[in-house]
């Protein structure tokens, strides 16, 4: 009997299913909100830049600040969740996330808003892996955990979509500052509900935290990502790009070397040797990158080239959200019938076809130029995320649940940063989308061959 068979054993004794569902709903809302917060500045960014008088470089850094600390601290966040218990780590992360989200709309200028975004990302880096650790406690039986992860995989795309849709609508109706009410409200509600809906999680083994590894990983990811982000405003050969990029890569090389020599490493080398896990993480990174690329390029194109307002730009993505929700509902049954490898491969193929349609229709009217791709891309992306999340976390022992959450979310955060910077060098909108479509097709074929 496979882990996805229809006759799998119950998750827990009778009477606990409702508690598990409620706990999952809480954790899923938190996860979607973390990604909502990442995407929430994309549409209102031009207004923020006008209000604070920002040039392109500072605008890009403001947009990326949350993701930089989020990605940079995730591995440490995962280890903290495994060591101190998922619910404790979740509570600590939510407190920081809520405080930073409350301070952001009060920012009188660029520096204060930038600091708040960095702090939001640090809180999110502790919340995300802790949420996955708590999910493992809610669904300890492998079959049930696999089905839960299938649903979990689509929450990130849902959060990103909601961030683009709601931030535009809120900005048009009130102000960009009002969009921060969403993460504040969700974080406060989660702090209240977590002790009631989530079981207490015991402390893990009293292992060393590998602080040197954490410092190398965090500094390397932040520096390299900063260099990549700045390629949108600076040439690749310029000092503002090369210095942080090369410095970050050197630190990451040092991190990889140190992890092989440390008795209790932050990221055990054997964790990434599993072929199916590596394919799942790659699919997560690529799917997140493709979705983010479409949001950024189309948001800019619709507002700057076609004259759309912020509200109309958000409305243009409503079909995207509808297709995402529809495909997300189908992901669980498809995983049960075909397994995560086939679902991931099919999702990557469909998403790649959607990107190809968007590239072909970049200069055409919305109804028949962009709309077909905006329906096919999220449908494929939802399936890809769902299957890949299962591939990336199956057979992970309970004492590494936080680590798995940290690595999965790191892939999701770094994918857009790395790929988007590379695609921007192609110029325009059609060429980057076409190149992304080719990458999706190649990974779909590889996944179908190696993970099914």
């Amino acid at each position: 009997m496979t882990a996805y068979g229809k006759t799998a054993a119950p998750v827990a004794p009778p009477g606990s299913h409702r508690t598990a569902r409620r706990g999952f709903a809480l954790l899923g809302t938190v996860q979607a909100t973390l990604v909502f917060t990442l995407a929430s500045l994309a549409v209102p960014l031009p207004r923020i830049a006008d209000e604070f008088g920002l040039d392109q470089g500072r605008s890009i850094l403001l947009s990326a600040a949350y993701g930089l600390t989020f990605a940079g601290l995730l591995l440490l966040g995962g280890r903290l969740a495994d060591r101190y218990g998922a619910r404790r780590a979740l509570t600590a992360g939510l407190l920081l996330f809520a405080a930073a989200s409350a301070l952001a709309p009060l920012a009188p200028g660029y520096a204060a808003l930038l600091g708040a975004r960095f702090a939001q990302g640090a809180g999110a880096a502790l919340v995300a892996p802790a949420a996955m650790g708590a999910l493992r406690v809610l669904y300890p039986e492998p079959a049930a955990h696999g089905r839960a992860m299938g649903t979990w995989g689509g929450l990130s795309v849902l959060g990103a979509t909601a961030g683009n849709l709601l931030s535009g609508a809120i900005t048009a109706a009130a102000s960009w500052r009002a969009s921060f009410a969403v993460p504040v409200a969700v974080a406060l509600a989660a702090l209240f509900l977590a002790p009631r809906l989530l079981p207490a999680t015991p402390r893990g083994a009293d292992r060393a935290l590998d602080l040197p590894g954490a410092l190398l990983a965090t500094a390397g990811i932040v520096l390299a990502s900063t260099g990549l982000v700045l390629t949108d405003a600076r040439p690749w050969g310029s000092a503002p790009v090369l210095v942080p990029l090369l410095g970050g890569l050197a630190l990451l090389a040092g991190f990889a070397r140190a992890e092989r020599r440390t008795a209790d490493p932050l990221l055990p080398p054997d964790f990434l040797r599993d072929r199916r896990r590596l394919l799942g993480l790659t699919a997560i990174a690529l799917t997140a990158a493709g979705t983010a690329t479409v949001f950024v390029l189309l948001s800019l194109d619709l507002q700057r080239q076609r004259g759309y307002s912020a509200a109309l730009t958000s409305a243009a993505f409503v079909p995207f959200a509808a297709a995402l929700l529809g495909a997300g509902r189908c992901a669980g049954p498809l995983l049960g019938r075909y397994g995560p490898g086939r679902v991931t491969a099919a999702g990557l193929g469909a998403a790649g076809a959607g990107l190809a349609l968007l590239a072909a229709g970049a200069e055409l009217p919305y109804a028949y130029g962009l709309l077909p791709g905006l329906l096919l891309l999220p449908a494929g992306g939802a399936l890809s995320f769902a299957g890949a999340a299962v591939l990336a976390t199956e057979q992970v022992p309970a004492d590494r649940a936080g680590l798995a959450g940290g690595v999965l979310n790191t892939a999701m955060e770094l994918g857009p940063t790395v790929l988007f910077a590379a695609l921007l060098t192609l110029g325009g909108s059609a060429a980057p989308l076409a190149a992304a479509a080719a990458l999706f097709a190649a990974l779909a074929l590889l996944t179908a061959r190696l993970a099914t």
Side-chain angles (χ1 to χ4, degrees):
M1 179 65 64
T2 68
Y4 306 95
K6 294 182 179 180
T7 60
V11 175
S16 66
H17 298 287
R18 179 178 296 179
T19 299
R21 288 197 298 269
R22 289 175 176 175
F24 181 88
L26 172 64
L27 294 172
T29 301
V30 168
Q31 174 67 14
T33 302
L34 298 183
V35 186
F36 168 95
T37 307
L38 179 69
S40 62
L41 287 192
V43 175
L45 188 60
R47 290 196 181 186
I48 299 173
D50 291 341
E51 181 175 332
F52 291 153
L54 305 182
D55 58 20
Q56 186 179 11
R58 291 198 295 171
S59 297
I60 292 169
L61 184 58
L62 179 61
S63 178
Y66 175 89
L68 291 176
T69 48
F70 192 179
L73 292 168
L74 274 167
L75 292 178
L76 178 60
R79 174 51 62 89
L80 290 171
D82 286 337
R83 179 173 179 177
Y84 294 107
R87 202 174 79 179
R88 291 186 187 89
L90 183 73
T91 299
L94 284 170
L95 285 170
L96 176 56
F97 183 74
S101 299
L103 290 173
L106 304 177
Y110 170 74
L113 182 57
L114 183 67
R117 290 289 283 177
F118 277 128
Q120 276 185 311
L126 188 53
V127 171
M132 284 190 60
L135 185 68
R136 184 61 177 266
V137 177
L138 284 174
Y139 295 98
E141 199 272 330
H145 184 259
R147 290 192 295 271
M149 284 307 304
T151 303
W152 189 267
L155 294 173
S156 297
V157 185
L158 179 61
T161 305
N164 282 272
L165 290 175
L166 293 181
S167 64
I170 293 171
T171 299
S175 164
W176 61 265
R177 297 175 186 270
S179 64
F180 287 95
V182 175
V184 172
V186 172
L188 292 178
L191 284 168
F192 175 76
L193 293 172
R196 294 161 175 78
L197 299 181
L198 303 179
T201 47
R203 294 169 63 101
D206 192 18
R207 298 170 175 170
L209 284 177
D210 186 18
L211 292 179
L215 181 61
L216 286 170
T218 301
I221 290 172
V222 171
L223 278 175
S225 298
T226 300
L228 290 170
V229 165
L230 291 177
T231 57
D232 191 34
R234 307 271 186 165
W236 277 86
S238 64
V241 171
L242 281 180
V243 171
L245 179 58
L246 295 179
L249 291 175
L251 289 173
L252 289 175
F255 168 71
R257 181 180 178 86
E259 294 301 275
R260 291 195 295 269
R261 299 183 173 187
T262 302
D264 194 11
L266 187 70
L267 178 59
D270 67 298
F271 189 80
L272 298 179
R273 289 178 187 153
D274 184 279
R275 182 177 65 190
R276 288 167 63 86
R277 182 172 300 135
L278 194 57
L279 282 170
L281 291 171
T282 304
I284 287 169
L286 184 59
T287 305
T291 303
T293 299
V294 167
F295 277 139
V296 173
L297 290 180
L298 288 189
S299 293
L300 291 174
D301 180 72
L302 291 173
Q303 292 183 79
R304 293 178 177 176
Q305 304 300 324
R306 305 193 185 205
Y308 281 31
S309 65
L312 191 57
T313 298
S314 291
F317 286 98
V318 169
F320 187 106
L324 175 66
L325 290 172
R329 293 183 65 85
C330 298
L334 290 173
L335 282 169
R337 183 168 184 178
Y338 297 108
R342 289 185 176 87
V343 171
T344 303
L348 287 168
L355 285 165
L357 288 174
L358 287 171
E363 304 297 328
L364 298 175
Y366 175 86
Y368 58 86
L370 300 180
L371 183 57
L374 287 175
L375 292 172
L376 190 54
L377 170 62
L383 297 181
S384 173
F385 258 119
V390 177
L391 288 176
T393 57
E394 62 184 356
Q395 299 182 354
V396 173
D399 63 350
R400 285 187 172 185
L403 170 65
V407 173
L408 185 150
N409 281 278
T410 299
M412 186 177 65
E413 295 303 317
L414 288 183
T417 301
V418 174
L419 184 62
F420 188 56
L423 293 176
L424 281 180
T425 62
L426 301 176
S429 297
L433 294 175
L439 291 175
F440 271 76
L443 185 58
L445 292 173
L446 187 63
T447 303
R449 180 178 178 83
L450 298 180
T452 58

